[in-house]
Amino acid sequence: MEYVVPARIAKLQAIDPGEIRRVQLVLPPYLEIKGRRVPLLDTMRPGTAFLAKPWGSRTDKVRRRMYTRSNSSNQEPGILETFINHTHRQQADTSIWWQSQIVDDWYEKEQGIDVRVTFDEDQNCARVYENTAVCKESNLRLEPDGEWEGRRLVCLAFGTGITPFLSYIRYMAHGDWLSSARESHGHMTLMVSARHEGQLMLHQELLEIARKFPEHFQYIPVLTRSWPNDWTSLKGRMIRINALSSGEQEIDLSPLQTSIPNIAQSDLRICGSIEACRQLLQGLQEKDICPVSVRKESW
Ligand SMILES: Cc1cc2nc3c(=O)[nH]c(=O)nc-3n(C[C@H](O)[C@H](O)[C@H](O)COP(=O)(O)OP(=O)(O)OC[C@H]3O[C@@H](n4cnc5c(N)ncnc54)[C@H](O)[C@@H]3O)c2cc1C
């Protein structure tokens, strides 16, 4: 039996109009199961995704889609935030709807979107459903507390692939970094690639966190297509594809290595399109660069 709760759209912010939206869904504190009033607990781990039921503009029906949460349950329990982009793929369905005026109408009318929950009969409570309960190479669920703190994480995000890392950063900044700023040795570098400045997500918040916790967090935004005159961070693609005279392609990681020279000593985490992740991993393999660990997620 699958259980869902209606979540209210509490925030709908155009990051890049028609392309990327920031969405916040507010969960009810209780739900009714088998005639019982059951509390809904938010224990989602950073890096995991929730399942919601948005509308499909192409298929004209309710669909089931996963969205990686970008905030953290320790900081904002009961509020599921994510960033959703228009994929522009031929089969695009719900991603069109999320950018449409219809969602603004749902927001105005406080119309709910169903979110999947799991029922724990023994504990008599429900929890937000998470796409994964175990850390694997193919997902970005954050390692258990006590295991991530000593790592040197290098997180590379392409577009909305930033979502799991936003959740990491907010979880860490609100918890460990705040309470044990100088004793903890963990460090995270986040490199985010976006086409233009308007597509950077939570840019100011990330700059602020980097200012506040310089011993723990480095933020490297990269603009790949256009940038303002006063842009001081990186420009252009960090992974370049060079066509060889043989007709083959060579993956050039030198811009990435110049900015992050110690990739081989890091725990590498990657999130973004299948193609971007593939090119990066191929480039590392060709250069014999073997990070301490590699985990990636694409959608
Ligand atoms: C773990 C995970 C996390 C994700 N996190 C994010 C995120 O943070 N932000 C974001 O923008 N996107 C995220 N996505 C992708 C998101 O779930 C959607 O796939 C994306 O928004 C595109 O949706 P779409 O409906 O336009 O197209 P698609 O999901 O590509 O669907 C296109 C067509 O494919 C078929 N199809 C796809 N899925 C199913 C299915 N489950 N059952 C049956 N048919 C199907 C249908 O014919 C559908 O019309 C995530 C996906 C996963 C798996």
Side-chain angles (χ1 to χ4, degrees):
M1 173 92 185
E2 183 174 293
Y3 298 100
V4 293
V5 290
R8 180 173 58 84
I9 305 175
K11 185 170 209 156
L12 206 51
Q13 181 190 352
I15 300 295
D16 185 15
E19 295 294 327
I20 304 174
R21 267 185 165 177
R22 178 186 187 184
V23 177
Q24 284 187 354
L25 302 174
V26 174
L27 300 166
Y30 294 93
L31 70 154
E32 187 104 351
I33 295 180
K34 297 179 181 172
R36 275 189 273 165
R37 195 170 130 96
V38 172
L40 174 56
L41 308 184
D42 175 9
T43 53
M44 273 187 88
R45 187 77 186 150
T48 61
F50 60 90
L51 189 148
K53 296 192 176 178
W55 193 260
S57 280
R58 191 176 59 79
T59 53
D60 208 19
K61 58 182 177 186
V62 171
R63 309 307 311 239
R64 299 157 61 86
R65 292 290 181 270
M66 304 296 314
Y67 299 104
T68 305
R69 185 175 183 172
S70 54
N71 61 351
S72 71
S73 57
N74 67 339
Q75 194 183 12
E76 295 187 308
I79 303 174
L80 304 181
E81 183 189 85
T82 189
F83 289 80
I84 301 175
N85 68 304
H86 190 328
T87 65
H88 294 288
R89 288 185 201 133
Q90 210 179 3
Q91 294 290 300
D93 196 5
T94 55
S95 65
I96 307 171
W97 180 80
W98 277 113
Q99 309 302 327
S100 74
Q101 176 64 38
I102 307 166
V103 185
D104 294 275
D105 297 341
W106 281 38
Y107 168 69
E108 296 295 335
K109 290 182 198 145
E110 301 197 347
Q111 194 165 333
I113 290 189
D114 282 347
V115 169
R116 186 175 170 190
V117 299
T118 51
F119 177 42
D120 183 337
E121 200 145 12
D122 296 338
Q123 304 274 320
N124 192 40
C125 65
R127 291 172 205 276
V128 183
Y129 168 84
E130 293 173 272
N131 67 320
T132 176
V134 279
C135 297
K136 290 192 209 161
E137 276 179 26
S138 57
N139 71 49
L140 291 170
R141 182 185 175 95
L142 182 65
E143 287 79 3
D145 292 347
E147 284 185 29
W148 62 262
E149 290 88 338
R151 292 177 189 258
R152 297 197 70 77
L153 292 171
V154 168
C155 303
L156 305 182
F158 304 91
T160 51
I162 193 175
T163 47
F165 306 131
L166 289 176
S167 187
Y168 284 16
I169 294 158
R170 285 152 145 195
Y171 180 78
M172 294 168 180
H174 189 71
D176 187 72
W177 294 348
L178 196 64
S179 57
S180 60
R182 306 232 164 256
E183 294 135 44
S184 169
H185 301 296
H187 189 275
M188 173 170 171
T189 296
L190 173 67
M191 178 184 272
V192 184
S193 289
R195 287 182 187 158
H196 56 85
E197 195 181 20
Q199 290 200 342
L200 288 173
M201 286 156 258
L202 302 190
H203 182 54
Q204 291 306 325
E205 184 176 326
L206 291 171
L207 288 172
E208 185 51 40
I209 295 175
R211 259 194 300 271
K212 199 166 167 189
F213 301 105
E215 63 278 44
H216 292 298
F217 180 52
Q218 181 190 18
Y219 172 48
I220 311 176
V222 184
L223 299 181
T224 57
R225 296 233 178 130
S226 59
W227 39 84
N229 289 337
D230 59 352
W231 181 251
T232 53
S233 194
L234 300 178
K235 302 165 192 162
R237 295 198 60 192
M238 293 296 104
I239 306 165
R240 295 190 183 145
I241 313 295
N242 299 329
L244 300 176
S245 52
S246 62
E248 293 190 358
Q249 287 184 333
E250 180 201 50
I251 298 183
D252 175 15
L253 295 184
S254 52
L256 172 67
Q257 287 177 282
T258 305
S259 311
I260 309 177
N262 54 355
I263 293 181
Q265 286 80 49
S266 73
D267 290 280
L268 184 63
R269 305 289 179 259
I270 314 163
C271 192
S273 70
I274 294 169
E275 191 53 12
C277 295
R278 188 196 62 75
Q279 288 171 353
L280 175 60
L281 292 176
Q282 190 184 329
L284 291 173
Q285 199 180 19
E286 284 171 5
K287 298 274 170 319
D288 262 336
I289 302 172
C290 299
V292 178
S293 68
V294 180
R295 293 176 59 194
K296 70 156 178 73
E297 199 164 323
S298 311
W299 55 71

